């Protein structure tokens, strides 16, 4: 908690035990617990309801609730702990303060119920689900002042050691493997893996299984989330490129047979065809009106140069594959059409018109966007989810710049905001009199 929570003398930490099983985006969360850390030490809790209903949590409060002004601070505090309060209310009924996820309605609400003494001292705190109440007219919307502070957050080494000891008591796990010859390729052996985790609670046990694949390359073992992800692994990808060539339709059928092992393409979708010269497309699935599959780019001899899985067979995606080749020369043709000169003079009462042309295919294959800079500061952007169209036109009053000489730049950007390394740039010196 940050310095605004002077009324609560503890830190609350949600600790997760996780491992990565080859998913490039998410870890597998296999166990969790909550910690309350105060001046006396640390306390462990199996879940947030156990924490928020504990005497340790109640004792950490050093405040009274007598008025709605007092309750406003607690509203933000509880909102920081439980995001479900974002659209809820806080109010008082019969000497108790409620901080809820909604107005109750037909289904009730979740939230915190605070019992106070006659002079407002907090005597009890409960987190409850399915609360039933009749909300009073003076109820107020929950506040959203953030009380969390994750700046430079870390668990002290002595606390981390205790956490790991607690996880060792709480969690048992085992790993089993078996051969997966249908996915093996050349020198790359693939195994089935399964992580089994048993998480022990005070009144029950929870068993979870996490299947994945393992690429075995000599003494190296690499987890992969599933068969759909094998093509994303560099070792597997390189081995695939060396084992297959696409020169004829017979070659394509052979490659299609191998891809069938990596996908669950239905017979009504499954197909292959050569497109755009040295590009092949192997359809695997449909999404709305789109057909998705594996896009393959070869050289003139059929050697595979690049592969994109779960792709559309578009000119833009073919260009994206070509642009992965460091030897592929890219000219975005980002050029000033109007005015014809890069140094212009105008007066304060005139408009300034700019027109820029570019190669739409290459710009959109790069997911490019255009930033407008005035005297070194960003003042405008042009971006579109369905791609940019050329030419790009801009018009603004000279009075926006003001009298004097100004530098206006149109910067072709790659994804992100790296203004120091753009794809291309046009600089115009504008003097306004």
């Amino acid at each position: 908690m940050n310095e605004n929570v002077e009324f609560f003398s503890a830190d609350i930490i949600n600790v997760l035990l996780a491992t990565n099983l080859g998913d490039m985006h998410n870890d597998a969360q296999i166990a969790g617990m909550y910690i309350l850390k105060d001046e006396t030490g640390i306390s462990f809790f199996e879940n947030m309801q156990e924490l928020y209903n504990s005497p340790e949590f109640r004792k950490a409060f050093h405040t009274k609730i007598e008025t709605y002004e007092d309750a406003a601070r607690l509203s933000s505090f509880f909102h920081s702990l439980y995001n479900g309060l974002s659209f809820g209310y806080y109010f008082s009924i019969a000497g108790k303060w409620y901080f809820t996820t909604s107005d109750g309605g037909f289904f009730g609400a979740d939230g915190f119920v605070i019992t106070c003494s006659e002079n407002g001292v907090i005597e009890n705190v409960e987190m409850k689900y399915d609360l039933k109440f009749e909300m009073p007219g003076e109820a107020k919307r929950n506040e959203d002042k953030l009380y969390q502070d994750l700046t430079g957050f870390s668990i002290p080494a002595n606390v981390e050691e205790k956490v790991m000891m607690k996880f060792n008591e709480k969690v048992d796990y085992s790993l089993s493997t078996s051969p997966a010859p249908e996915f093996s390729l050349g020198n790359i052996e693939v195994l089935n893996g399964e992580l089994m985790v048993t998480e022990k609670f005070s009144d029950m046990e929870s068993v979870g299984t996490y299947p994945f694949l393992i690429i075995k390359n000599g003494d190296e073992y690499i987890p992969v989330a599933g068969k759909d992800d094998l093509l994303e692994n560099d070792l597997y990808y390189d081995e695939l490129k060396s084992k297959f060539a696409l020169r004829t339709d017979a070659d394509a059928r052979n490659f299609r047979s191998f891809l069938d092992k990596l996908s669950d393409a239905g017979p009504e979708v499954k197909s292959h065809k050569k497109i755009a010269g040295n590009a092949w497309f192997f359809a695997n699935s449909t999404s709305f009106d789109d057909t998705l599959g594996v896009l393959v780019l070869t050289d003139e001899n059929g050697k595979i140069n690049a592969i994109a899985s779960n792709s559309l067979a578009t000119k833009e995606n073919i260009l994206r594959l070509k642009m992965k080749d460091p030897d592929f020369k890219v000219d975005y043709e980002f050029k000033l059409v109007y005015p014809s000169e890069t140094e212009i003079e105008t007066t304060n009462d005139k408009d300034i018109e700019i027109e820029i042309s570019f190669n739409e295919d290459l710009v959109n294959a790069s997911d490019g966007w255009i930033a407008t800079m005035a005297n070194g500061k960003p003042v405008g952007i042009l971006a579109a989810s369905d791609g940019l169209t050329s030419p790009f036109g801009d018009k603004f009053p000279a009075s926006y710049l003001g009298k004097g000489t100004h530098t206006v730049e149109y910067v072709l950007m790659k994804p992100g905001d790296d203004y120091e390394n753009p794809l291309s740039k046009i600089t115009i010196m504008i003097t306004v009199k």
Side-chain angles (χ1 to χ4, degrees):
M1 296 296 169
N2 63 27
E3 67 277 1
N4 293 314
V5 198
E6 74 281 355
F7 55 83
F8 188 80
S9 58
D11 279 327
I12 295 170
I13 306 169
N14 179 206
V15 184
L16 297 173
L17 180 63
T19 187
N20 188 277
L21 299 176
D23 190 317
M24 293 183 292
H25 307 290
N26 299 294
D27 291 336
Q29 297 181 2
I30 58 179
M33 69 177 76
Y34 283 80
I35 297 172
L36 186 142
K37 179 178 176 291
D38 59 21
E39 58 186 11
T40 65
I42 60 175
S43 303
F44 295 95
F45 302 91
E46 290 184 348
N47 54 60
M48 64 180 179
Q49 188 174 23
E50 183 184 53
L51 163 65
Y52 299 146
N53 291 349
S54 69
E56 291 90 347
F57 183 69
R58 178 187 57 79
K59 290 175 183 177
F61 284 97
H62 304 288
T63 187
K64 293 183 178 182
I65 314 178
E66 297 182 277
T67 66
Y68 271 89
E69 185 177 351
D70 297 333
R73 295 191 307 167
L74 272 295
S75 173
S76 283
F77 175 75
F78 286 124
H79 183 190
S80 295
L81 298 181
Y82 185 41
N83 197 48
L85 300 183
S86 297
F87 302 103
Y89 298 83
Y90 63 100
F91 49 87
S92 178
I93 300 177
K96 294 184 177 182
W97 285 93
Y98 291 72
F99 303 84
T100 66
T101 56
S102 72
D103 61 6
F106 181 78
F107 296 102
D110 303 334
F112 295 86
V113 181
I114 314 299
T115 303
C116 297
S117 67
E118 290 185 0
N119 63 349
V121 175
I122 294 175
E123 295 181 335
N124 193 42
V125 181
E126 294 179 280
M127 182 184 184
K128 291 188 172 184
Y129 299 108
D130 301 320
L131 285 165
K132 303 293 184 183
F133 53 83
E134 185 173 340
M135 194 171 73
E138 65 270 20
K140 298 182 182 297
R141 281 283 188 183
N142 282 322
E143 305 287 334
D144 60 0
K145 183 177 180 180
L146 292 178
Y147 281 163
Q148 294 170 314
D149 185 6
L150 302 180
T151 305
F153 174 77
S154 63
I155 298 178
N158 63 324
V159 175
E160 183 176 351
E161 184 179 352
K162 292 178 181 178
V163 169
M164 293 311 300
M165 290 175 61
K166 195 71 176 178
F167 272 131
N168 287 334
E169 298 172 6
K170 182 180 175 64
V171 179
D172 290 328
Y173 61 88
S174 62
L175 177 66
S176 61
T177 63
S178 62
E182 66 273 25
F183 304 130
S184 296
L185 182 65
N187 296 320
I188 302 295
E189 182 183 357
V190 179
L191 308 173
N192 292 307
E194 183 178 85
L195 177 66
M196 179 176 289
V197 178
T198 302
E199 186 174 6
K200 291 171 278 191
F201 299 94
S202 56
D203 57 350
M204 59 172 287
E205 289 186 352
S206 172
V207 179
T209 56
Y210 302 84
F212 61 106
L213 294 175
I214 302 169
I215 292 176
K216 183 177 183 298
N217 182 41
D219 293 331
E220 185 180 16
Y221 293 83
I222 305 167
V224 179
K227 63 182 182 179
D228 294 337
D229 303 288
L230 284 169
L231 289 179
E232 305 298 328
N233 177 270
D234 289 341
L235 283 173
Y236 201 85
Y237 178 80
D238 289 342
E239 191 72 17
L240 184 73
K241 289 195 298 182
S242 69
K243 292 298 179 185
F244 291 93
L246 295 174
R247 290 180 289 268
T248 66
D249 193 67
D251 293 335
R253 288 196 300 271
N254 183 41
F255 189 67
R256 169 83 263 181
S257 295
F258 181 79
L259 290 179
D260 288 346
K261 301 176 184 179
L262 308 183
S263 68
D264 298 311
E268 71 282 359
V269 178
K270 187 167 59 176
S271 64
H272 68 271
K273 61 181 178 180
K274 190 174 186 180
I275 57 175
N278 296 327
W280 292 77
F281 183 68
F282 298 83
N284 283 336
S285 64
T286 58
S287 177
F288 300 100
D289 295 329
D290 295 327
T291 300
L292 300 172
V294 178
L295 187 61
V296 182
L297 193 66
T298 73
D299 64 12
E300 296 296 333
N301 298 315
K303 180 179 179 295
I304 295 176
N305 284 337
I307 299 174
S309 56
N310 203 36
S311 177
L312 294 171
T314 63
K315 182 198 299 186
E316 189 174 296
N317 284 337
I318 293 172
L319 276 173
R320 284 194 177 104
L321 281 184
K322 290 181 177 179
M323 292 165 70
K324 289 183 177 181
D325 183 351
D327 295 326
F328 182 73
K329 304 301 181 184
V330 179
D331 181 2
Y332 295 101
E333 302 172 34
F334 195 63
K335 299 175 181 177
L336 181 64
V337 177
Y338 182 85
S340 58
E341 304 292 334
T342 56
E343 294 185 12
I344 61 174
E345 290 186 359
T346 187
T347 56
N348 208 42
D349 58 343
K350 298 284 182 66
D351 286 337
I352 298 172
E353 294 188 41
I354 305 292
E355 184 175 303
I356 293 171
S357 66
F358 51 88
N359 185 310
E360 287 183 20
D361 293 332
L362 289 172
V363 167
N364 291 323
S366 299
D367 295 318
W369 59 282
I370 298 173
T372 306
M373 312 278 288
N375 299 317
K377 295 182 179 180
V379 294
I381 64 170
L382 176 67
S385 59
D386 55 351
L388 303 182
T389 56
S390 178
F392 157 63
D394 194 14
K395 182 178 180 179
F396 57 91
S399 58
Y400 174 81
L401 295 173
K403 293 183 178 180
T405 299
H406 307 274
T407 303
V408 175
E409 296 170 303
Y410 291 89
V411 187
L412 180 61
M413 301 284 293
K414 51 192 164 187
D417 56 1
D418 184 2
Y419 291 96
E420 299 298 321
N421 298 286
L423 299 173
S424 189
K425 181 168 65 175
I426 294 171
T427 302
I428 308 170
M429 303 301 297
I430 301 176
T431 301
V432 181
K433 296 184 175 181

